[in-house]
Amino acid sequence: MKNGDELLKKLNALEDSTFADDLMMAVNDCITMVQAAAKDSCPTHHGELKNSIHTMTEEKDDKITSVCYTDKEYAAYVEFGTGPVGLADHNGIAPDIPVAYSQSGWMIPGDAMTRYEAEEYGLGVVEDKDGEPIGYLTNGQPAQPYMYPALKDNEDEIKKRLSEAVKLSFEGKKL
């Protein structure tokens, strides 16, 4: 490595500096950018999923980890799609994640949503003899990726920002 000794001296000198704080701030800035992109592209009927997209950045064992996540149980169904419809249309999802799709449609229980919501989603309504919904028929939904593209589309900018943060820290400058 060219100038390896010089680099090692600088790295050792950084142990007593604010390098970790600077890097933590840069990583947090990057994950906030990913969060904003995920929220911008998140499909929404009522905003519940979009509003559930959060971030967390922590330092543990000399490693900085940052995560953009949602705690909604149905989030993966939106990201990857479901059933035969999802199988037929899942462009844009993370290529390294194996997804298994149901090969046939199914019925959602009648108390899972209102008739209005079911019709809004384009689901078939199964009624009892009095015309009350007992279930809603679906063949699934297409993938509507919002998390993976938020990271992938910002990959170059993340690398640039982290590189700049390291460079500034080496130079003793603040971000």
Side-chain angles (χ1 to χ4, degrees):
M1 175 188 284
K2 202 173 184 182
N3 299 327
D5 290 337
E6 185 179 328
L7 178 60
L8 283 174
K9 283 181 192 177
K10 285 184 177 184
L11 286 172
N12 288 332
L14 288 173
E15 288 178 20
D16 297 327
S17 74
T18 59
F19 179 68
D21 292 340
D22 290 346
L23 193 55
M24 179 83 145
M25 191 167 37
V27 169
N28 194 59
D29 178 51
C30 290
I31 202 64
T32 301
M33 177 180 57
V34 171
Q35 177 191 32
K39 285 185 171 197
D40 284 348
S41 62
C42 180
T44 180
H45 274 336
H46 308 291
E48 184 177 299
L49 181 58
K50 178 184 283 194
N51 293 330
S52 76
I53 299 172
H54 304 289
T55 64
M56 180 182 68
T57 303
E58 67 181 4
E59 182 181 2
K60 186 176 180 182
D61 299 328
D62 293 330
K63 292 182 183 177
I64 297 174
T65 305
S66 200
V67 180
C68 182
Y69 67 95
T70 174
D71 57 1
K72 294 298 177 190
E73 291 180 16
Y74 62 88
Y77 301 134
V78 176
E79 179 83 9
F80 299 113
T82 59
V85 174
L87 178 63
D89 186 0
H90 58 262
N91 291 330
I93 68 170
D96 298 335
I97 297 179
V99 182
Y101 295 95
S102 169
Q103 300 301 305
S104 60
W106 60 94
M107 186 165 76
I108 300 169
D111 62 355
M113 65 184 75
T114 67
R115 178 190 292 265
Y116 174 78
E117 289 170 318
E119 290 171 350
E120 192 176 55
Y121 286 112
L123 304 178
V125 179
V126 178
E127 300 173 340
D128 65 13
K129 63 181 174 153
D130 297 324
E132 292 299 314
I134 58 172
Y136 307 103
L137 300 175
T138 183
N139 283 317
Q141 66 181 25
Q144 300 172 76
Y146 58 99
M147 291 293 245
Y148 175 72
L151 177 62
K152 190 66 178 166
D153 293 349
N154 287 293
E155 199 171 41
D156 291 340
E157 182 64 20
I158 291 167
K159 289 176 185 176
K160 178 181 158 193
R161 288 184 185 195
L162 293 176
S163 176
E164 184 66 20
V166 170
K167 180 182 174 192
L168 288 173
S169 196
F170 275 155
E171 295 170 355
K173 298 176 184 174
K174 283 290 190 195
L175 300 176

